[in-house]
């Protein structure tokens, strides 16, 4: 019997490279209902790993197999997965890795390729110590245009630190539901379940040592005492810094990761409008609100490119966490690298500017507007923010974030680079509306 997680990893990769899967998280979830947390971790690690290091794995394969390009995708992907597992899953005996991948190939009906797959993996196994020493230094593979773009803003040495940092498995953070429980109390409860955690630089954000699937199977999760949320995302919520009793808008709220943090920071007092154009996301948010005891959110399916006049000038604060190329999240979601192109970045930037124009109407005079994106391309960050400022002229004043910011602040703009805080990358701009 072939392990399910290996078969599923191969099937997911084939579909991903054929463009039939957009988001890997959904693919993992679809399989993981049948899995133990450990199996899900292995699946995720394999697929993520191959997407992060595809070029390097292909180069390694070519040293043993000059006709690599002629192989059918199913064989190429099985070999990528097998090589990745040999190099990085050091606790699995190498002979078992080779045997298992040969059996996966057989189970996919590719009997004619069994000797070839066996030979290539055996060759990698023979020089394994040397290959592992090399692979330990690998940085993530970036498309040339993105590497060139980041090379323009980071010194060469730092670019390498960034690429190496993005190659590592992502950390797991949770947001403590401070409406229900304190950090320390939750830490104790999780520790009793064998899940250690430690405090971070952001209050209410804990780094946990656990697999995602084990974490979301705990009763504490079911009771709404915490929610998995990346540290960078939580920093953004703190930069919005809403106060109890205010009217706040979370435009483009998604399933409400930041919405629920904003509600917590408001002490569950005030009014919090949460909008997204996708009905399913708003439905998920409603469920999360019920579970976490948040009462002040008014979720609504709404196209933020056409915000009804009844919402104009209502907000003391507005967060626009705009759709973007997601390139700050590639440690967790390397598939973003497959979708992003200079053209798609341009399209995102133009949509972001349109959304900002519309969101501007919602903010009352002297109110605050926060623009965030989980990406770090110039066009979607400084490019959009400066274009918006130019359009609005004196009606908009750039505001420096208050207090100590756990990121880089340049000319008032906040840049969270993924290698600085070891979180997702974000850009944040804050403005006060003058008129
Ligand atoms: C970056 S995600 C938001 C993530 C969310 N703020 C969170 O913290 O979980 C961007 C969201 O914008 C939504 N969106 C895109 N275009 C929109 C539009 N015209 N109106 C409303 N929502 C939109 C997408 O459905 C997506 O959920």
């Amino acid at each position: 019997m072939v392990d399910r997680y290996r078969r599923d990893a191969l099937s997911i990769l084939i579909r991903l490279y054929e463009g039939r899967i957009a988001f890997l998280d959904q693919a993992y979830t679809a399989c993981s209902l049948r899995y133990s947390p450990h199996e899900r971790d292995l699946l995720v690690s394999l697929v993520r790993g191959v997407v992060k290091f595809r070029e390097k794995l292909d180069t390694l394969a070519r040293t043993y197999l000059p006709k690599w390009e002629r192989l059918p995708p199913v064989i190429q992907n099985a070999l990528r997965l097998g090589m990745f597992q040999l190099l990085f899953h050091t606790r699995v005996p190498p002979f078992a890795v080779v045997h298992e991948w040969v059996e996966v190939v057989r189970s996919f009906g590719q009997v004619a390729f069994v000797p070839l797959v066996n030979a290539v993996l055996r060759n990698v196994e023979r020089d394994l110590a040397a290959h592992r020493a090399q692979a330990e230094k690998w940085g993530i593979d970036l498309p040339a245009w993105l590497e060139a773009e980041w090379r323009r803003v980071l010194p060469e040495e730092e670019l390498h630190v960034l690429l190496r940092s993005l190659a590592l498995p992502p950390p797991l953070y949770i947001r403590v539901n401070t409406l229900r429980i304190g950090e320390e109390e939750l830490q104790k409860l999780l520790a009793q379940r064998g899940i250690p955690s430690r405090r971070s630089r952001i209050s209410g954000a804990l780094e946990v040592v656990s697999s995602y699937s084990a974490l979301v199977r705990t009763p504490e999760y079911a009771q709404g005492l915490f929610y998995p949320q990346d540290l960078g995302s939580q920093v953004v919520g703190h930069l919005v810094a809403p106060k109890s009793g205010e009217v706040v808008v979370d435009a483009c709220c998604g399933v409400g990761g930041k919405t629920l943090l904003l509600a917590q920071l408001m002490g569950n007092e005030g009014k919090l409008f949460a909008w997204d154009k996708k009905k399913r996301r708003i439905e998920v948010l409603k469920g999360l609100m019920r579970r976490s005891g948040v009462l002040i959110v008014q979720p609504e399916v709404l196209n933020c490119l056409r915000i009804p006049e009844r919402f104009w000038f209502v907000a003391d604060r507005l967060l626009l966490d705009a759709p973007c190329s997601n390139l700050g999240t590639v440690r967790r979601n390397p598939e973003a690298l497959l979708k992003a192109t200079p053209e798609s970045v341009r399209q995102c930037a133009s949509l972001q500017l349109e959304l900002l124009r519309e969101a501007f109407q919602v903010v009352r005079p002297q109110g605050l507007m926060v623009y965030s994106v989980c990406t770090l391309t110039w066009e979607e960050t400084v490019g959009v923010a400066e274009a918006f400022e130019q359009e609005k002229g004196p009606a908009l004043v750039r505001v420096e974030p208050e207090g100590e910011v756990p990121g880089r602040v340049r000319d008032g703009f906040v840049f969270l680079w993924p290698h600085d805080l070891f979180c997702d990358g974000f850009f944040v701009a804050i403005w006060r509306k003058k008129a």
Side-chain angles (χ1 to χ4, degrees), residues 273 275 300 302 307-315 361-363:
F273 294 105
W275 303 329
E300 194 168 327
L302 198 143
I307 300 175
E309 276 189 43
R310 68 191 146 98
F311 290 120
W312 289 12
F313 307 109
V314 298
Q361 313 270 25
V362 175
V363 182

Side-chain angles (χ1 to χ4, degrees), residues 227 229 233 250-259 275-278 281 300-306 319-324 326 351 355 372-374 426:
Y227 187 75
Q229 184 171 13
S233 167
D250 184 0
C252 294
C253 64
V255 299
K258 296 184 188 68
T259 318
W275 303 329
D276 201 282
K277 68 174 186 183
K278 297 213 169 137
R281 296 192 177 171
E300 194 168 327
V301 180
L302 198 143
N303 179 357
C304 292
L305 290 171
R306 270 179 226 93
L319 167 64
L320 176 69
D321 186 35
C324 68
N326 297 316
L351 172 62
L355 286 164
S372 65
V373 277
C374 58
F426 273 91

Side-chain angles (χ1 to χ4, degrees), residues 77-377:
N77 285 312
L79 280 169
R80 287 171 182 140
L81 287 159
M83 288 186 291
F84 176 84
Q85 193 158 35
L86 278 172
L87 295 175
F88 291 94
H89 290 189
T90 50
R91 286 201 217 147
V92 189
F95 71 86
V97 173
V98 176
H99 171 78
E100 287 292 329
W101 282 105
V102 164
E103 289 313 308
V104 171
V105 167
R106 201 189 303 279
S107 78
F108 269 67
Q110 302 289 332
V111 183
F113 287 97
V114 160
L116 178 141
V117 169
N118 187 48
V120 173
L121 294 181
R122 287 256 173 263
N123 275 324
V124 176
E125 189 194 354
R126 195 167 310 125
D127 301 328
L128 197 54
H131 289 317
R132 279 185 178 165
Q134 279 297 316
E136 255 181 38
K137 296 182 220 143
W138 282 358
I140 194 170
D141 291 333
L142 291 185
W145 66 270
L146 183 60
E147 194 165 324
E149 159 139 18
W150 283 350
R151 184 166 275 126
R152 276 196 291 275
V153 288
L154 297 174
E156 191 67 21
E157 256 179 41
E158 198 182 343
L159 179 70
H160 285 291
V161 174
L162 170 67
L163 299 192
R164 180 69 203 123
S165 166
L166 292 175
L168 299 173
L172 184 54
Y173 282 97
I174 57 174
R175 167 174 43 78
V176 180
N177 181 358
T178 48
L179 298 174
R180 289 256 174 93
I181 192 164
E183 273 180 68
E184 264 180 45
E185 205 184 331
L186 180 64
Q187 281 189 285
K188 277 185 203 150
L189 291 176
L190 292 177
Q192 283 164 14
R193 302 199 182 282
I195 300 178
S197 61
R198 62 163 180 253
R199 300 179 91 142
S200 71
R201 286 177 62 185
I202 299 299
S203 103
L206 295 176
E207 186 178 359
V208 290
V209 184
S210 166
S211 78
Y212 173 86
S213 36
L215 195 63
V216 298
R217 288 178 198 199
T218 59
E220 289 74 20
Y221 175 72
Q223 290 157 18
L225 300 185
F226 70 85
Y227 187 75
Q229 184 171 13
D230 181 73
L231 186 66
S233 167
Q234 299 192 53
V235 171
V236 174
H238 283 269
L239 287 170
V240 178
K243 310 272 181 292
S244 286
E246 285 186 335
V247 176
V248 178
V249 170
D250 184 0
C252 294
C253 64
V255 299
K258 296 184 188 68
T259 318
L260 297 176
L261 170 56
L262 298 179
Q264 284 177 211
L265 297 175
M266 293 166 75
N268 224 357
E269 280 177 27
K271 202 178 266 187
L272 178 44
F273 294 105
W275 303 329
D276 201 282
K277 68 174 186 183
K278 297 213 169 137
K279 187 165 179 264
R280 215 188 62 79
R281 296 192 177 171
I282 292 295
E283 291 309 317
V284 174
L285 168 59
K286 286 179 183 168
L288 293 175
M289 282 165 52
R290 277 191 293 276
R291 206 171 65 201
S292 50
V294 164
L295 304 170
I296 58 168
V297 178
Q298 298 191 17
E300 194 168 327
V301 180
L302 198 143
N303 179 357
C304 292
L305 290 171
R306 270 179 226 93
I307 300 175
E309 276 189 43
R310 68 191 146 98
F311 290 120
W312 289 12
F313 307 109
V314 298
D316 297 307
R317 271 165 221 262
L318 174 139
L319 167 64
L320 176 69
D321 186 35
C324 68
S325 56
N326 297 316
L327 293 168
T329 72
V330 296
R331 192 185 286 120
R332 244 176 341 113
N333 305 316
E335 66 273 24
L337 293 168
L338 305 179
K339 279 177 276 173
T341 61
E343 178 53 25
S344 72
V345 165
R346 220 164 293 135
Q347 283 168 2
C348 283
S350 133
L351 172 62
Q352 289 150 1
L353 191 55
E354 264 189 79
L355 286 164
L356 273 172
R357 278 186 200 121
E358 193 67 12
F360 180 78
Q361 313 270 25
V362 175
V363 182
R364 67 161 173 78
Q366 301 306 323
L368 280 179
M369 253 185 115
V370 179
Y371 167 67
S372 65
V373 277
C374 58
T375 196
L376 289 154
T377 63

Side-chain angles (χ1 to χ4, degrees), residues 6-75:
R6 286 197 181 88
R7 272 191 64 90
D8 284 344
L10 179 53
S11 144
I12 288 174
L13 263 189
I14 293 169
R15 284 180 289 144
L16 178 74
Y17 289 137
E18 284 175 358
R20 289 193 282 141
I21 292 180
F23 298 105
L24 286 174
D25 268 347
Q26 287 168 9
Y28 302 143
T29 306
C31 304
S32 61
L33 295 174
R34 300 177 277 136
Y35 285 178
S36 69
H38 179 62
E39 282 176 312
R40 185 189 194 274
D41 286 351
L42 289 169
L43 169 84
V44 172
S45 160
L46 283 174
V47 177
R48 254 190 205 142
V50 170
V51 179
K52 283 185 181 186
F53 301 129
R54 178 176 153 171
E55 276 177 36
K56 292 182 177 72
L57 292 166
D58 288 8
T59 304
L60 176 57
R62 274 190 212 102
T63 61
Y64 299 111
L65 198 65
K67 293 181 180 163
W68 170 252
E69 262 68 34
R70 293 205 209 148
L71 293 180
V74 56
I75 301 303

